[in-house]
Amino acid sequence: NEDLDVVVPKQEALKTIVSTVTRRNVTLMNFVTDAFADFERTFERARNSGKIKQNDPYLSFPQVYNSYQNPKNLYENYFSLIMREFENTFRDNKKIISPQDYFNQFLSYIEKLTPTFPITYTAWHRSRFSSIFTSGLAIDLAGLAIDNDELKENFINSENFNFYKNSCVRHGFSIVKNSPWVIVADL
């Protein structure tokens, strides 16, 4: 939010629709699913009227490769891995003979870990281990690697890119600069 506090969507504010292209469920914030459904219909009308090329692998029939991811589930998986690593690291440690020893070893482990790997839900959510998809506002339309500039260049050089860009603006989406196939509801 504006105070830089972590905000998690309420489950009742999420809405699931079926993508007209992939027939897969797409879950997003309720107003974003409505905007995306209109976005898909715009592409369908453009294909039917010949305004866009129909052979573009991503921008003829926009497909959802990624949408809302439940942050609580992601954090639980992340924290389980951290705990499993702790258990594996200290299982054979002869210093642990009481609950207090276990607790002391755990605190020592956490002190070493936290500069790189956040432990709390809030810190995790602000870290590189969380993603924009936990907001319910973002949609990945290509599923491409973000670190591959050639893929970005090919995507942007598509004959349908200008139509895509205009459609995003018209339907209330911004395009993520470093991964142009990811669109985010522009609040």
Side-chain angles (χ1 to χ4, degrees):
N1 68 11
E2 292 175 355
D3 295 327
L4 301 177
D5 294 324
V6 171
V7 176
V8 177
K10 292 181 180 179
Q11 293 299 308
E12 57 270 11
L14 297 170
K15 181 177 174 183
T16 300
I17 61 170
V18 178
S19 170
T20 59
V21 176
T22 62
R23 298 286 179 223
R24 284 190 273 177
N25 287 347
V26 178
T27 301
L28 297 160
M29 294 293 290
N30 52 16
F31 65 93
V32 181
T33 55
D34 296 341
F36 183 70
D38 290 342
F39 179 82
E40 281 188 312
R41 283 190 289 277
T42 297
F43 269 83
E44 183 180 3
R45 285 191 300 273
R47 284 191 310 273
N48 292 339
S49 67
K51 286 184 180 178
I52 61 172
K53 299 276 185 187
Q54 295 199 21
N55 61 350
D56 188 288
Y58 303 108
L59 296 178
S60 294
F61 297 84
Q63 299 180 43
V64 177
Y65 286 80
N66 200 355
S67 61
Y68 173 74
Q69 297 174 349
N70 187 317
K72 290 180 182 174
N73 294 344
L74 294 174
Y75 175 72
E76 286 172 8
N77 291 339
Y78 167 83
F79 193 74
S80 292
L81 288 173
I82 287 176
M83 289 305 296
R84 204 170 312 129
E85 185 63 30
F86 171 72
E87 292 292 333
N88 290 338
T89 302
F90 293 100
R91 180 178 296 144
D92 297 326
N93 191 336
K94 303 299 182 211
K95 294 179 187 176
I96 299 178
I97 54 176
S98 72
Q100 186 62 44
D101 293 335
Y102 181 91
F103 181 71
N104 291 338
Q105 288 293 321
F106 183 70
L107 287 181
S108 174
Y109 175 75
I110 295 301
E111 281 181 27
K112 293 175 188 168
L113 192 69
T114 54
T116 309
F117 297 96
I119 297 302
T120 66
Y121 180 65
T122 300
W124 169 83
H125 217 307
R126 290 181 174 172
S127 76
R128 64 185 171 96
F129 298 102
S130 184
S131 88
I132 194 169
F133 296 104
T134 62
S135 68
L137 302 173
I139 307 167
D140 181 345
L141 299 174
L144 300 173
I146 293 172
D147 60 351
N148 187 327
D149 288 342
E150 185 179 335
L151 295 174
K152 293 174 195 176
E153 193 173 313
N154 291 339
F155 192 88
I156 291 170
N157 288 333
S158 164
E159 290 181 48
N160 293 346
F161 188 76
N162 281 333
F163 180 83
Y164 165 71
K165 190 168 60 173
N166 292 333
S167 295
C168 285
V169 169
R170 204 169 332 126
H171 292 93
F173 293 105
S174 292
I175 298 170
V176 175
K177 181 179 180 180
N178 289 322
S179 53
W181 46 83
V182 175
I183 59 176
V184 180
D186 189 348
L187 304 179

